[in-house]
């Protein structure tokens, strides 16, 4: 069995390639976003309680669809609500 010697240049080259691939991976957006989300998905996405989500439904802030006993929210509507309520930071 032959022994290979790694140099500092080899390790630096590996490091650079590794971090470049990692940056590329982290900058990728999710390939597919579900069009419809369940209540649990929206609560997790917005970090809100079940009661707060119910209030958003009741006061008409967040549109929803209901099939059977399951409530669905369009991903696009959730993003619209976030953008509508966006506030600029005080400088």
């Amino acid at each position: 069995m032959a022994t290979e010697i790694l140099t500092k240049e080899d390790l630096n080259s590996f490091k650079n390639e590794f971090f470049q691939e990692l940056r590329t991976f982290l900058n990728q957006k999710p390939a597919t976003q579900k069009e419809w989300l369940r209540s649990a998905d929206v609560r997790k996405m917005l970090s809100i309680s079940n009661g707060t989500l119910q209030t958003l439904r009741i006061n008409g802030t967040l549109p929803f669809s209901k099939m059977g006993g399951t409530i669905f929210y369009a991903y696009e509507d959730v993003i619209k609500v976030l953008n509508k309520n966006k506030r600029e930071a005080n400088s």
Side-chain angles (χ1 to χ4, degrees):
M1 177 191 295
T3 303
E4 290 188 42
I5 298 175
L6 292 176
T7 64
K8 286 184 179 183
E9 291 80 21
D10 293 332
L11 292 175
N12 279 329
S13 175
F14 172 77
K15 177 185 76 169
N16 291 335
E17 288 176 25
F18 175 77
F19 281 118
Q20 181 59 39
E21 287 183 30
L22 185 61
R23 279 188 211 98
T24 302
F25 176 76
L26 293 175
N27 289 332
Q28 290 177 350
K29 294 184 178 179
T32 56
Q33 173 59 49
K34 291 192 285 185
E35 184 177 352
W36 292 96
L37 305 171
R38 293 175 179 244
S39 294
D41 300 324
V42 176
R43 286 195 319 267
K44 184 175 180 182
M45 183 178 173
L46 301 178
S47 298
I48 59 174
S49 69
N50 198 26
T52 300
L53 184 56
Q54 182 177 1
T55 300
L56 294 175
R57 283 195 311 266
I58 291 169
N59 67 21
T61 302
L62 186 57
F64 65 95
S65 294
K66 187 172 183 179
M67 292 190 68
T70 306
I71 299 173
F72 295 94
Y73 306 85
Y75 175 80
E76 203 172 277
D77 289 338
V78 176
I79 297 301
K80 283 180 188 175
V81 169
L82 284 173
N83 286 328
K84 182 180 174 185
N85 291 293
K86 185 177 176 181
R87 304 283 189 262
E88 294 299 322
N90 295 333
S91 297

